[in-house]
Amino acid sequence: MNTFLEKTGRFARKNIVMLIAFSLALVTCFFIPPDKNYQGYFDLRTLSCLLATLAIVCALKNVNFFYFLAEKTVKVFKTARASVIALVFITFIGSMLIANDMALLTFLPLGYIVLTRAKKEKYMIFTFVMQNIAANLGGMLTPFGNPQNLYLYSKFDIPTLEFIKIMIIPFTISVLLITACCFIFVKKEPLAFEGETVRPEPKRSILYLILFVLSIVMVFRAIPYWIGLPIILIVLLIVDRKALLAVDYPLLFTFVFFFIFAGNMARIEPVRTFFSNLLNLNTLLFSALSCQIISNVPSAILLSQFTDNYAPLLIGVNIGGVGTVISSLASLITFREYCAHNAGKGGKYLAVFSAFNFSFLIILTGVMLLLGSLV
């Protein structure tokens, strides 16, 4: 009995975000009982890409690919500050190309290994928080960088050049803020790898990188997810079953529960009325604030029903991706990844996360509101 309770307690502590998401989804089900409309809540492409990337990252870990990449990073950049900047901005650029959640799944493990092997764990929380902010804000410049961008880009048929023009100012401010934080909070300390040099398995590494490229192609919709995902899963089932067993399935369920929560919230009439009234006051401000409650993707979907003023809405749901841990589902990935390596330190992470995220949110929102009033 005690063993069962201990295992249950460990599971609950490790998967607290999933349990919170489940509780929120369950509560909203009393207001909106399950029906056929629930089918429309789930973004199967996002879930498929998430599963594919999680599995491939596990496979790359199994062949020591990230250890090898981490060693190369340290040898090239040599100092703690330069390495952290490199980790943050590779995540930043990655989010522009392969979407924010995929960039985090790919580069958070690299950040952990770099700092652990170099004995610089004191920068772990800061690096994870900055990688998270970089992923959420880096993706704002491209239509496919964040899921909400792709939705609004398609719904309002926004020309690509106009899209970039709308987002270039908050994007530039984000770059400056992230760079400044890295210079201020990370010292220029020498960095050296400790431990034996690890070499990845060449053939399997190449195979897994090919699968990773396939997952990126899935993100770009060049190959349908219902074709790409089975290929990836079948190959890993044959070559590395341990990778499939190591997948963070609770994270997948966290996304599922949040999709239910957000979908139900959007169907509760008082909620819809409340957001409609707020948008009439200030679209940018209240779209950013709504993200703090129901996340940026559901906010984009919900609020787009009440306004055709897509420019401030687009800016709001992008800068609103920083703030609370549920303002962007990508933030849940970072939180879970940190807790997976640092059990019992989730509270400290959330404190630092909140301090930086709300600072970014206040600065970005304030500057964009000021610029909007001057135009």
Side-chain angles (χ1 to χ4, degrees), residues 321-354:
V322 294
T324 65
V325 74
I326 65 167
S327 61
S328 169
L329 293 181
S331 297
L332 297 177
I333 293 175
T334 309
F335 181 61
R336 275 198 53 83
E337 183 71 16
Y338 179 81
C339 290
H341 298 297
N342 301 272
K345 296 183 179 180
K348 184 177 181 181
Y349 171 86
L350 287 176
V352 177
F353 173 93
S354 298

Side-chain angles (χ1 to χ4, degrees), residues 137-182:
L137 297 180
M140 75 167 72
L141 189 63
T142 60
F144 45 80
N146 291 324
Q148 70 272 16
N149 285 4
L150 193 59
Y151 169 77
L152 295 175
Y153 178 76
S154 300
K155 177 177 176 60
F156 293 108
D157 196 22
I158 307 172
T160 302
L161 290 179
E162 182 183 354
F163 185 101
I164 294 174
K165 182 179 178 181
I166 292 170
M167 301 309 302
I168 190 65
I169 293 178
F171 175 83
T172 303
I173 296 171
S174 299
V175 172
L176 295 175
L177 287 174
I178 291 171
T179 304
C181 286
C182 290

Side-chain angles (χ1 to χ4, degrees), residues 110-221:
L110 177 61
Y112 171 77
I113 294 169
V114 166
L115 296 174
T116 302
R117 294 290 299 275
K119 300 297 182 183
K120 296 296 181 184
E121 290 91 344
K122 64 181 180 180
Y123 294 123
M124 188 74 70
I125 293 181
F126 174 82
T127 303
F128 269 51
V129 168
M130 282 298 114
Q131 283 184 284
N132 182 81
I133 291 174
N136 282 323
L137 297 180
M140 75 167 72
L141 189 63
T142 60
F144 45 80
N146 291 324
Q148 70 272 16
N149 285 4
L150 193 59
Y151 169 77
L152 295 175
Y153 178 76
S154 300
K155 177 177 176 60
F156 293 108
D157 196 22
I158 307 172
T160 302
L161 290 179
E162 182 183 354
F163 185 101
I164 294 174
K165 182 179 178 181
I166 292 170
M167 301 309 302
I168 190 65
I169 293 178
F171 175 83
T172 303
I173 296 171
S174 299
V175 172
L176 295 175
L177 287 174
I178 291 171
T179 304
C181 286
C182 290
F183 272 89
I184 293 171
F185 293 100
V186 183
K187 296 178 181 179
K188 194 176 180 181
E189 301 172 356
L191 210 61
F193 240 58
E194 295 189 9
E196 296 181 3
T197 298
V198 178
R199 299 298 178 194
E201 299 178 36
K203 292 182 179 179
R204 290 172 66 189
S205 295
I206 292 172
L207 174 61
Y208 297 155
L209 289 174
I210 291 172
L211 293 180
F212 181 67
V213 171
L214 177 59
S215 72
I216 293 175
V217 173
M218 285 170 54
V219 172
F220 284 118
R221 300 188 177 186

Side-chain angles (χ1 to χ4, degrees), residues 236-295:
L236 291 179
L237 186 63
I238 296 172
V239 179
D240 191 352
R241 294 184 182 182
K242 290 183 179 179
L244 295 178
L245 294 175
V247 167
D248 189 353
Y249 292 106
L251 177 61
L252 287 169
F253 281 106
T254 299
F255 272 70
V256 169
F257 295 143
F258 266 111
F259 280 138
I260 295 173
F261 167 69
N264 284 340
M265 287 288 286
R267 292 174 61 191
I268 298 174
E269 192 57 37
V271 174
R272 293 175 63 88
T273 302
F274 175 72
F275 282 121
S276 180
N277 292 334
L278 290 181
L279 282 176
N280 290 330
L281 298 174
N282 191 301
T283 302
L284 190 156
L285 175 61
F286 289 107
S287 59
L289 291 178
S290 72
C291 295
Q292 310 310 309
I293 304 171
I294 62 172
S295 189

